[in-house]
Amino acid sequence: MTTSLDSRSMIGILVGRAATVSATKRYALRKNSKAHSDRHQRQRFIDDAVTTARVLRKGLGRCLELVDNEDSDPDSGGRILDFLLRSLIDSGGPHWSKNFDSFYELSTTSQKNAIKDIESMTLSVATALMARAADDDWEFVWAEAADAAGWFMDDMVAREGRSNTLIRPDLLIKRGGRQARLIVDLKYRSRLTARSVADALDDVAEKYAEPYCHTFGRPVSFSVLAYNESDCLWSDEDRYDPRR
């Protein structure tokens, strides 16, 4: 069986997962304590992202060995490592890990292309996210939120006749003050151009911002962080208003 994914799609999956791993549950970027300053929280987000990318690169590339000293079966360590990778590769855990199988359905060359730069790209993406977090007063970040309606919209209650089934965006952001909630989508682009980023922003508006806005009757802001092996590029921030 062959996968419908290619190495570029797999890059997006792996970098997106690694760069947001700290926010699998909502991640506080503000800590009112000396032990955990805002800067500490942002740096930990970056460090966790790079560590995850390194584990995925080495584990998927079969450069990482796990030895089970309590089991005489020499294959036990390999099975445990595969389970850990399955648990890590998707926020849903080991039973939602089709991406693990899809990776090994790629050709050997495509596998190498998919993982060779994920550490550097993950570092760039996580750093860009945390720089924006500092500048834009982000309070909480949540990746692929399973119950976006409840927490992301805070006190917002779905209006009658609207479905609460919403597609999970890469990141949901709660900002300080009364600023509109923010949706951020991560996109891998082999060529970073203003046009490609604008096209991605249109896609985010249709898939995420508009449904959220109409479900809750409140404005929703949205943006795209596009990246490749060389750089990152933010789109402009747009806003979907229920009056549209």
Side-chain angles (χ1 to χ4, degrees):
M1 183 177 70
T2 58
T3 178
S4 59
L5 297 176
D6 57 17
S7 60
R8 290 182 297 179
S9 299
M10 188 57 67
I11 288 170
I13 290 167
L14 297 176
V15 173
R17 175 65 183 140
T20 62
V21 69
S22 288
T24 301
K25 288 190 174 181
R26 57 191 182 193
Y27 183 83
L29 289 165
R30 285 185 176 177
K31 288 286 187 179
N32 296 320
S33 71
K34 293 181 180 179
H36 295 92
S37 65
D38 297 357
R39 181 177 296 177
H40 172 272
Q41 289 297 96
R42 293 193 296 270
Q43 187 58 51
R44 188 172 74 170
F45 185 99
I46 295 169
D47 292 344
D48 289 350
V50 175
T51 298
T52 302
R54 183 173 300 121
V55 172
L56 287 172
R57 179 183 65 79
K58 290 187 174 184
L60 293 171
R62 300 307 185 191
C63 298
L64 192 63
E65 182 177 353
L66 193 152
V67 178
D68 185 355
N69 291 321
E70 295 182 345
D71 195 321
S72 59
D73 182 355
D75 296 326
S76 176
R79 289 195 297 270
I80 294 172
L81 177 59
D82 282 355
F83 180 83
L84 293 174
L85 290 170
R86 284 185 179 277
S87 301
L88 193 59
I89 204 168
D90 191 284
S91 62
H95 302 296
W96 296 88
S97 56
K98 185 178 184 301
N99 293 326
F100 178 89
D101 299 316
S102 296
F103 176 82
Y104 289 111
E105 290 167 6
L106 295 171
S107 68
T108 302
T109 299
S110 293
Q111 289 178 27
K112 291 179 179 179
N113 288 337
I115 62 175
K116 65 184 178 72
D117 294 313
I118 62 171
E119 283 176 69
S120 60
M121 282 189 282
T122 297
L123 174 61
S124 296
V125 169
T127 300
L129 287 170
M130 291 300 97
R132 177 62 65 91
D135 293 340
D136 197 30
D137 197 20
W138 293 5
E139 291 185 346
F140 290 95
V141 185
W142 201 0
E144 300 182 52
D147 182 23
W151 176 80
F152 171 61
M153 291 300 178
D154 204 19
D155 60 341
M156 301 181 188
V157 178
R159 296 185 294 178
E160 286 188 31
R162 296 291 184 179
S163 170
N164 287 330
T165 303
L166 300 171
I167 300 173
R168 299 181 299 171
D170 288 335
L171 286 171
L172 302 173
I173 314 295
K174 183 178 179 182
R175 299 185 283 193
R178 298 185 61 82
Q179 297 185 75
R181 302 297 193 265
L182 175 66
I183 289 173
V184 172
D185 203 45
L186 306 177
K187 295 289 188 185
Y188 174 76
R189 291 290 182 264
S190 55
R191 294 184 61 214
L192 289 179
T193 64
R195 178 57 185 270
S196 68
V197 175
D199 288 344
L201 193 65
D202 289 341
D203 182 58
V204 174
E206 181 179 350
K207 287 176 62 177
Y208 305 115
E210 182 178 1
Y212 273 78
C213 176
H214 289 316
T215 296
F216 298 100
R218 301 286 184 89
V220 175
S221 296
F222 55 101
S223 188
V224 168
L225 176 58
Y227 63 92
N228 61 16
E229 292 81 358
S230 301
D231 205 358
C232 292
L233 179 63
W234 280 100
S235 72
D236 292 332
E237 181 178 313
D238 205 344
R239 178 177 166 117
Y240 209 96
D241 192 280
R243 292 186 292 266
R244 283 189 181 183

